[in-house]
């Protein structure tokens, strides 16, 4: 998965138009970024990368770019 | 994980009681209709049965036990052991199993003790009941499993307010030389204890005015330290890490393939989690029992409740191979593979 595809998955997860998320927005500015969305994000990275990240690390992310950093090694250039 | 098999243990019957009072999931000042629909879609819970303040888990379990004993024709004097699995007992002491022993009129020769477990508690309870039967310490065992978690969930904490219902179950087990062994797998990870707990009100952090006061928490939730704290994301992480290997280990131990199973009854945590586990483990969805919509997550009682809600007619009629999978608070997990010849399953009833 490329980073662009990763951001498109986040659009879907947050019920936004495809292409809305650029990467440097503040997650806190989206009301839909709540504990249910974080759980859906955990499912997303488990399903696509087989990765497990402590929830606290996800909660501490400020932007979609920070989220992408959690799985940076698994994203294609 | 601990893997073991218990021969000579027969499940005879299961009954589950819920409080008559229903609590539909409705919009409130805290959550508007849109947010609530999103929560319902994720949890799968549309209403719950919640206990009145004077009703305890033991009352629901006692009702279930009386009904089951009557159906099975069990005399009170014939029961050799009573176990009570719960995280919402009547008292700090004595063990609620002891007071239930008295209320059900059991014999003085009958042992009684409590087990403090939640989501995994039914499977652990079956295994401990089975060990007593297999070792000949008991011939007939009453396993009572139930909780009233709604009493410790803040109605102003979105993470728990719309999820939990109350229920009490009774399961009858006895010795049978002809029974196929029940396979069990159990495990724990105490590092996760802090992610699902009531932090205060007992001996580690005794009750004070401060621990009883509701305080503002993450995402605007309000709860006291004597109410349930649940870190949903961390519990989800734990579940997808531990449950698939748990089920695989159990299938290997029992020698069953997925196609050999008639039903999978998991702890009814929430809809999103169960759907994801089904997908992740490639289980046939039509064999996986869901009983969240009307009852919510009933903690330790959720597996017997799901059996009583969905399988009462089926299990009485014909043999079935079932997997029971419990996981959650502790963190603690356990699973059992049971080859049932037939089972007396009472439909869920209200008290």
């Amino acid at each position: 998965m490329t980073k662009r595809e990763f951001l498109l998955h986040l659009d879907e997860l947050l019920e936004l138009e495809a292409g809305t998320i650029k990467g440097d927005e503040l997650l806190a500015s989206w009301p839909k970024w709540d504990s249910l969305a974080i759980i859906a994000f955990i499912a997303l990275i488990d399903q696509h990368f087989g990765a497990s990240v402590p929830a606290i690390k996800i909660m501490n992310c400020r932007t979609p770019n920070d989220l992408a950093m959690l799985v940076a090694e698994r994203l294609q250039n | 994980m601990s893997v073991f098999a218990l021969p000579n243990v027969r499940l005879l019957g299961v009954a589950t009681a819920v409080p008559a009072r229903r609590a539909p999931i409705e919009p409130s000042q805290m959550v508007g209709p849109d947010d609530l629909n999103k929560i319902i879609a994720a949890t799968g819970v549309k209403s719950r049965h919640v206990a009145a303040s004077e009703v305890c888990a033991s009352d629901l379990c006692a009702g279930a036990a009386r009904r089951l004993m009557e159906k099975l024709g069990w005399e009170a004097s014939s029961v050799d052991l009573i176990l009570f699995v719960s995280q919402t007992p009547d008292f700090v002491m004595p063990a609620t199993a002891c007071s239930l022993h008295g209320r059900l009129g059991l014999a003085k020769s009958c042992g009684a003790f409590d087990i403090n477990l939640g989501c995994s508690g039914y499977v652990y309870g079956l295994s401990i009941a089975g060990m007593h039967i297999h070792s000949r310490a008991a011939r007939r065992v009453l396993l009572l499993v139930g909780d009233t978690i709604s009493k410790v969930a803040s109605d102003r904490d979105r993470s728990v307010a719309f999820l939990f219902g109350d229920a009490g179950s009774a399961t009858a087990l006895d010795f049978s030389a002809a029974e196929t062994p029940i396979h069990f797998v159990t495990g724990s990870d105490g590092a996760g204890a802090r992610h699902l707990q009531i932090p205060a009100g007992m001996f580690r952090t005794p009750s004070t005015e401060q621990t009883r006061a509701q305080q503002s928490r993450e995402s605007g939730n309000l709860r006291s330290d004597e109410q349930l704290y649940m870190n949903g994301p961390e519990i989800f992480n734990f579940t997808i890490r531990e449950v698939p290997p748990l089920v695989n280990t159990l299938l290997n131990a029992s020698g069953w393939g997925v196609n050999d199973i008639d039903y999978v009854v998991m702890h009814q945590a929430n809809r999103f989690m169960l759907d994801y586990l089904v997908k992740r483990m490639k289980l046939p969805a039509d064999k996986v029992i869901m009983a969240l919509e009307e009852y919510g997550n009933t903690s330790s009682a959720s597996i017997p409740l799901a059996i009583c809600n969905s399988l009462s007619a089926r299990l009485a009629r014909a043999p079935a191979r079932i997997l029971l999978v419990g996981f959650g608070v502790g963190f603690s997990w356990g699973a059992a593979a049971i080859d049932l010849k037939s089972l007396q399953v009472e439909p869920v009833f209200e008290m």
Side-chain angles (χ1 to χ4, degrees):
Chain A
M1 182 186 295
T2 63
K3 182 170 176 188
R4 178 177 152 67
E5 288 166 337
F6 176 82
L7 294 178
L8 286 171
H9 276 295
L10 280 184
D11 284 328
E12 192 181 342
L13 195 150
L14 293 171
E15 298 170 30
L16 299 167
E17 287 277 325
T20 303
I21 295 178
K22 305 300 178 200
D24 55 1
E25 302 90 340
L26 286 178
L27 289 165
S29 66
W30 286 303
K32 289 190 189 303
W33 181 249
D34 56 12
S35 63
L36 292 177
I38 291 170
I39 289 170
F41 179 76
I42 291 171
L44 176 79
I45 60 174
D46 175 67
Q47 185 184 348
H48 289 279
F49 305 113
S52 177
V53 175
I56 189 71
K57 283 194 175 181
I58 300 169
M59 292 176 200
N60 286 340
C61 288
R62 294 178 67 248
T63 67
N65 284 338
D66 294 340
L67 292 174
M69 284 301 292
L70 297 175
V71 290
E73 288 174 8
R74 293 172 165 90
L75 287 174
Q76 296 163 5
N77 290 323
Chain B
M1 284 189 273
S2 177
V3 184
F4 52 99
L6 297 175
N8 310 131
V9 179
R10 177 171 59 176
L11 260 74
L12 274 176
V14 187
T16 303
V18 294
R21 192 169 69 161
R22 291 184 64 154
I25 307 292
E26 290 172 333
S28 65
Q29 272 190 321
M30 187 178 69
V31 180
D34 288 350
D35 273 358
L36 196 64
N37 285 337
K38 192 176 150 192
I39 291 172
I40 290 172
T43 62
V45 182
K46 292 185 177 169
S47 76
R48 292 97 26 93
H49 289 253
V50 298
S53 60
E54 70 277 11
V55 175
C56 289
S58 66
D59 301 327
L60 301 168
C61 288
R66 288 193 183 97
R67 179 166 294 201
L68 184 61
M69 290 167 74
E70 186 188 329
K71 290 282 178 184
L72 295 173
W74 273 24
E75 295 292 333
S77 59
S78 72
V79 177
D80 301 311
L81 178 68
I82 179 169
L83 304 175
F84 179 63
V85 181
S86 182
Q87 306 213 301
T88 46
D90 291 11
F91 311 107
V92 171
M93 65 171 80
T96 303
C98 291
S99 65
L100 281 163
H101 173 281
R103 290 162 65 181
L104 294 171
L106 305 183
K108 286 185 182 174
S109 57
C110 171
F113 62 92
D114 285 3
I115 299 165
N116 181 341
L117 283 173
C119 323
S120 64
Y122 187 67
V123 173
Y124 269 88
L126 287 177
S127 74
I128 294 163
M131 288 171 192
H132 279 79
I133 291 169
H134 173 57
S135 69
R136 313 291 201 271
R139 194 167 181 93
R140 283 186 169 178
V141 179
L142 259 186
L143 171 65
L144 306 191
V145 182
D147 269 305
T148 52
I149 298 296
S150 75
K151 295 185 180 192
V152 292
S154 166
D155 58 7
R156 293 195 285 180
D157 179 344
R158 289 163 50 119
S159 62
V160 297
F162 309 107
L163 185 61
F164 291 100
D166 303 327
S169 70
T171 302
L173 303 96
D174 75 351
F175 180 91
S176 167
E179 218 60 17
T180 305
I182 302 177
H183 291 267
F184 288 96
V185 180
T186 57
S188 317
D189 179 5
R194 68 187 187 281
H195 296 307
L196 186 52
Q197 70 166 180
I198 297 172
M202 292 287 279
F203 299 105
R204 176 66 61 194
T205 309
S207 180
T208 64
E209 197 174 323
Q210 193 179 356
T211 63
R212 289 190 294 274
Q214 285 196 329
Q215 296 172 36
S216 184
R217 314 282 178 154
E218 72 291 331
S219 310
N221 290 324
L222 283 174
R223 69 173 174 275
S224 80
D225 281 335
E226 295 189 29
Q227 292 180 308
L228 182 67
Y229 164 65
M230 184 173 83
N231 182 337
E234 210 54 83
I235 293 164
F236 187 72
N237 252 336
F238 142 70
T239 302
I240 58 178
R241 182 175 66 242
E242 300 297 347
V243 173
L246 168 68
V247 171
N248 279 336
T249 306
L250 182 65
L251 289 175
N252 286 335
S254 60
W256 293 357
V258 169
N259 292 335
D260 298 321
I261 305 164
D262 292 299
Y263 300 104
V264 180
V265 190
M266 292 194 271
H267 165 55
Q268 304 288 297
N270 64 67
R271 178 100 210 183
F272 182 87
M273 189 181 279
L274 296 192
D275 283 346
Y276 189 73
L277 285 172
V278 168
K279 191 164 123 186
R280 177 77 140 62
M281 294 190 282
K282 299 184 173 61
L283 295 174
D286 60 335
K287 293 183 176 179
V288 178
I289 303 302
M290 296 278 185
L292 281 153
E293 190 170 313
E294 189 184 342
Y295 301 107
N297 175 336
T298 54
S299 184
S300 60
S302 80
I303 291 175
L305 182 143
I307 292 171
C308 293
N309 184 59
S310 307
L311 298 174
S312 59
R314 167 63 179 84
L315 294 182
R317 202 172 56 234
R321 286 180 160 184
I322 62 170
L323 287 194
L324 309 181
V325 187
F327 49 87
V329 62
F331 294 138
S332 168
W333 56 91
I338 310 177
D339 198 346
L340 290 168
K341 291 193 175 67
S342 76
L343 188 66
Q344 175 79 40
V345 182
E346 293 299 301
V348 178
F349 66 98
E350 294 182 5
M351 275 180 69

